[in-house]
Amino acid sequence: MANESTRFKIGVNSILFTVLLVVSLALINVFGAYARCQLDVTEDELYTLSSASTKIVKESKSEIKVRVFVSRKLVTGLDEVRQYLIDTLDRYKEASRGKFKWELIHPEDSKAKEKLAKEYGIRKTTYQTKQTGSKEARELYFGLAITYKAPGADKEEMEIIPNLGWNIQKNLEYLLTERFYRLVRGRKKVAIITGHNVVPPKAMDQLIKMLGQFFKAYEIVQYNIRGSKPPPADTQVMIVLSPKTPWNEADRKKLNSFVMKGKGVLFMVEGMALQKQNKQMQMRKMPPIMMPHNHGLNDLLWTWGVKIAGNFVMDLGQKPLLIRQGKKSRIIFHPALLNIRYSRRLKAPVTPFLASSLDVKAEFVSKKLKPGQRFRVTPILLSSPKSWTVKGPYMFNPQRRDQPPEGATRARYVVAAMVEGKLPSAVKGTKPTESKANARLVVVGDFDLLKLSGAVPGNRIFLQNMVDWLAQDEVLVKLRNKQMQERELDLPSSKTKRYLIQLANIFGLPILLVLFGIIWWQLRLARRRSAQREIGERR
Amino acid sequence: MYKTWTLYKREMGEYFNSPIAYIVIVLFLALAGTWGLSKIFNVEPARADMRPLFELMPMFLVVIAPALSMRLLAEEKSTGTMELLVTMPVADWQVIFTKFFAAFSVLFLMVVFTLPFAFTIAKMGDLDWGVTLGSYAGLLLMGACYISIGLMTSSWFKSQVVAFIVAGTICLVFWGLGNEEFTKLLPQTAAAVTQQVFGLDYHFKNFAKGIIDLRDIIYYSSITTCCLVLAGQSVQSRKWR
């Protein structure tokens, strides 16, 4: 009887313990759901607000307000995207110390809310679920409006994203922070220097339109350096594009005085240029000839440690380039098309075309400023070790796959470099003799890089990063890189090699494991046999 | 501690002195390698990303973890060594934890053996090691859950096959309830709640993205603890049934 009661007690205890444990574990999970404790282990901290985002919301002088318009009923999968949006906005709020507020509005709840959405230009869009095999689609609201009223301003400034889309998990932080910058800090001016027949006026208008789309945080203006007016006072960055006619002393003086103010200049200048063909050459359909080109900038640039050589770089060590034009895409390969995979300093896969190499004064090249050094030069784009240079006159034939001539120096050539520091005045006898603040320059021996930026996303990112760095907004460079870095796999071009790598990975370790198993088994057998023998001998 | 270590060595010996561990590991590596790597290598443009592999591995674990754990207690019961084991001077919970850790060690080895895939990808591209290691951590936590479920069912039956089938079914249900494909038939709120409460795969998503969330760790630890305690209670039930 006593046994029975003990067993009953143990049984009850066991059941009670189990039930209590399950309940407490459930409670821990329920309460744990409220605790947001996350560790972002991604290399680029993709799920943590970057310093650019925290800085702009923290330092904002007025309140930044975000209104998210979202339907209650979403298509399957979109609720996860909405949750990501909510979490991100909460992170901004936490970082802002009360200067950032956001609210969630369901427009279908009332007519007033629907009217508000309409006022901001946010309308219903059809969303289709991304689930395979499902055709679930629904018209719904999923947009947001950002408003900001600067202190002393008459009206509110606003930025609208009418349709956030499915892919915001890739670039939401960039989408938001870039807009906050525009609203809070205003648009910095970027001037493109004209006056040297860089491109025909119509093409220049198109170029400015294209740049305006790339640089939404900046105001793109033209500045005629041959005119009598000085550059607009609030210009932060100047862009010098390959001039057709050489710069003269007066032009150089104007640019020098801009640099002396501690501002930024981007040079995209080629050392070789296509020569105009005469009628006879055109009749014979001869390929264009390239000749070294006098742009009149080298004296200026050499003072700052860089010079554009009168050549262009050919490279056989590059991968073919995939160019997307609308829905079509094509693969092209030419040694003059430098498909540089990665710019270390301004992370972007860049593709210069017919780019000149740069001569760099070794004494200024360093990663960090040495003691006593006033400025430094850092190469940022380099061709592969299979490169050589071509000097003019050179008949350029895009159909021909050039090979290096005998005796050509195969080396890595610098195609772009950045200069930073207290730059000396490049015009003798002028004051100040040194830039007031740290000035920044980027010299790229190529102009086609910019022309190709519409079709090559890497070039566009590189261009944006260069301008951000020159405008001392490198926080935006970091943010853009964080969102847009594409981690491509450099697979061997030979299919056989690719299969061999795959097979070695799939079967290499299993074969080793089986071999280990067989050896282990044989060892055990041997041990057993010797033990049996020993026992037999003892008997 | 010494007794636990002896028990652990015995369990590991059971795996590696018989072909079980080799078959399971080789099968897992071959399946993951063939399917996963072809999804990484044979797409255009190829990305230095282990995600395709981590999408498949949890699915394989649904079968492999119960296969690893099915014999843990069921075999002891069917061969009659269970009585011997429980009369040894070790507590029941020590037996359960040792068996769990032995099976988990094999699973750990199996998962670690996929690291050469990551090294190959890292050699050919810029692999995000943070995301990769986060995914491995998630996979191991999920594997621990599946092993504990297998151990729990193994404590219920004498037959290893029955234990395997029941454990496999439970794992499949838990995996399926975390997958949108399976919960899409439910109303939206019900689907969301089901995924969060029962979905083992749902809680793996954050790890696969490179986020280590305390909520997911608590969830996996709770399921593992719960199943291990249930297994322990099942062994202990001989004292009161």
Side-chain angles (χ1 to χ4, degrees), chain A residues 7 29 38-39 41 487 490, chain B residues 48 124 126 212-213 222 241:
Chain A
R7 279 165 73 176
N29 274 277
Q38 289 183 337
L39 182 67
V41 290
R487 294 166 185 269
D490 194 8
Chain B
M124 291 192 287
D126 184 17
I212 296 179
D213 195 319
S222 306
R241 264 204 309 198

Side-chain angles (χ1 to χ4, degrees), chain A residues 143-215:
Chain A
L144 61 82
I146 310 163
T147 51
Y148 178 79
K149 195 176 174 191
D154 299 332
K155 60 171 189 160
E156 249 183 4
E157 294 279 332
M158 71 172 102
E159 288 281 344
I160 311 290
I161 309 178
N163 176 18
L164 283 158
W166 281 97
N167 295 325
I168 56 167
Q169 272 156 307
K170 266 189 178 171
N171 62 355
L172 180 65
E173 195 190 343
Y174 181 70
L175 278 180
L176 295 173
T177 301
E178 202 234 4
R179 281 168 172 82
F180 297 159
Y181 263 80
R182 269 187 246 168
L183 290 170
V184 175
R185 193 203 55 185
R187 288 173 191 233
K188 287 185 179 176
K189 234 169 229 171
V190 174
I192 294 189
I193 294 180
T194 59
H196 284 280
N197 306 323
V198 177
V199 284
K202 241 187 178 178
M204 180 56 90
D205 289 341
Q206 278 180 343
L207 200 69
I208 294 212
K209 206 175 159 189
M210 182 180 83
L211 290 177
Q213 285 189 339
F214 292 170
F215 300 109

